[in-house]
Amino acid sequence: MGLYHLGSALRSNRSSGKPLKSVWKTLDQATAIFRRPQLVLIASAPGVGKSALALNLAIKSGASCIYFSADSGPGTQLVRTVSILTGRETGEVQRAMERGYTFDTELEPVSRIWWEFDAGPSLELIEKSVTAHGYLGAYPDMCIIDNLMNVDPGEESNEHKASKDTLLFALELARKRSMCVVVLAHLVGEYEDGTTPPPLSGLMNKVGKIPEMVLTAYREESAFGEDMGIAIVKNRDGIANAAANYTVSLKMDLNRMAIEDYPKIPTLRAA
């Protein structure tokens, strides 16, 4: 236990509130900035691209990272990572892998990302993995948990309590280790169509009170095909609207796992 004046607390944790390297100027302009130490929740319907968004963040931020990939195995994440790094379609990368190409050179820039593929990671495993990274000389800048429902909280409890306990653990981990912890989550059935901007109340198990920032993703049609719409539904350090009335758009091509800014950054819009 430790009691601090704010000044001494800041001196003991100089990275408090420090942004990660910018990946999307669109989100920066909308004041949705990934910071250390902070807990961020990203939620969407299946297939919208929240895992692709998290992986792009891990790769393009340049941050040291532990990625808990309960939802996807090593082969899937290898294909996705190479697609992001090279701009090749995932099918092309998969065929190259099947021919025996290992992509060792292409993967060198992401050696700072460590992976854990346990299908049901416990809170103890997450804590031990972060601590082990600290033995390398520093705790990671970021930890990604994909996703909330896969985490084993370590005791018998209902789904709501399990999700709440996991997020409280993740919040404490972010603050204790000065990391940006990003947790991916699902929505209630009403927003499972993937095309409706999901409000804060659309989070499964109603866990929106715990994270400092909550982004909800959905698909939207554009002149260029299909975009990823992002509603900023909670943001303690910036603009947000719980009813999903503040949204931005990112250019999306999931064949290449690409999620990018448009050349001209669109302004934050109110519905």
Side-chain angles (χ1 to χ4, degrees):
M1 184 178 73
L3 297 175
Y4 296 90
H5 290 294
L6 282 178
S8 59
L10 179 60
R11 286 191 295 273
S12 71
N13 186 5
R14 292 188 178 275
S15 59
S16 179
K18 181 178 179 181
L20 299 180
K21 177 184 172 184
S22 175
V23 175
W24 299 284
K25 297 298 183 185
T26 304
L27 287 178
D28 292 349
Q29 180 175 290
T31 71
I33 297 171
F34 294 87
R35 301 178 183 274
R36 306 166 46 193
Q38 187 182 65
L39 173 61
V40 179
L41 190 73
I42 300 174
S44 78
V48 168
K50 62 181 176 292
S51 293
L53 187 73
L55 187 54
N56 271 269
L57 176 66
I59 292 171
K60 295 178 181 178
S61 68
S64 57
C65 176
I66 300 179
Y67 197 122
F68 293 90
S69 182
D71 240 14
S72 304
T76 298
Q77 293 290 31
L78 173 60
V79 169
R80 291 175 174 176
T81 298
V82 172
S83 291
I84 292 171
L85 290 169
T86 66
R88 299 175 182 175
E89 291 191 358
T90 54
E92 180 184 352
V93 175
Q94 182 68 51
R95 289 189 293 273
M97 286 176 53
E98 291 168 356
R99 294 194 300 268
Y101 191 76
T102 59
F103 293 102
D104 291 338
T105 301
E106 289 84 352
L107 290 169
E108 285 177 4
V110 292
S111 59
R112 58 192 158 69
I113 302 176
W114 296 76
W115 297 85
E116 171 58 62
F117 292 103
D118 192 303
S122 65
L123 303 185
E124 182 181 13
L125 174 63
I126 294 171
E127 176 75 52
K128 285 183 175 179
S129 297
V130 171
T131 301
H133 193 288
Y135 295 150
L136 301 175
Y139 294 109
D141 301 315
M142 179 166 53
C143 171
I144 295 174
I145 300 173
D146 186 2
N147 64 58
L148 179 61
M149 286 189 65
N150 293 91
V151 177
D152 177 7
E155 60 180 44
E156 287 295 326
S157 59
N158 60 45
E159 194 174 276
H160 172 75
K161 186 176 186 305
S163 295
K164 180 181 176 181
D165 289 348
T166 298
L167 287 178
L168 287 171
F169 164 84
L171 179 62
E172 176 64 19
L173 188 67
R175 294 179 179 177
K176 184 168 63 174
R177 302 305 188 196
S178 189
M179 301 186 302
C180 179
V181 178
V182 179
V183 179
L184 308 189
H186 293 301
L187 301 166
V188 296
E190 182 181 352
Y191 300 99
E192 289 287 275
D193 61 1
T195 60
T196 304
L200 187 62
S201 61
L203 297 178
M204 187 174 287
N205 296 317
K206 311 299 181 186
V207 291
K209 292 182 179 179
I210 300 171
E212 281 101 340
M213 184 164 72
V214 179
L215 307 177
T216 60
Y218 60 99
R219 292 175 180 265
E220 57 182 12
E221 298 297 325
S222 75
F224 305 95
E226 201 167 43
D227 289 346
M228 174 179 281
I230 296 180
I232 305 162
V233 297
K234 184 178 180 182
N235 187 5
R236 288 184 181 163
D237 295 316
I239 302 169
N241 182 276
N245 288 333
Y246 286 118
T247 64
V248 295
S249 298
L250 294 173
K251 184 180 178 182
M252 180 172 68
D253 179 3
L254 292 184
N255 288 326
R256 293 179 170 82
M257 299 301 291
I259 301 175
E260 303 167 330
D261 288 313
Y262 276 101
K264 182 178 180 181
I265 300 172
T267 57
L268 185 69
R269 58 183 184 267

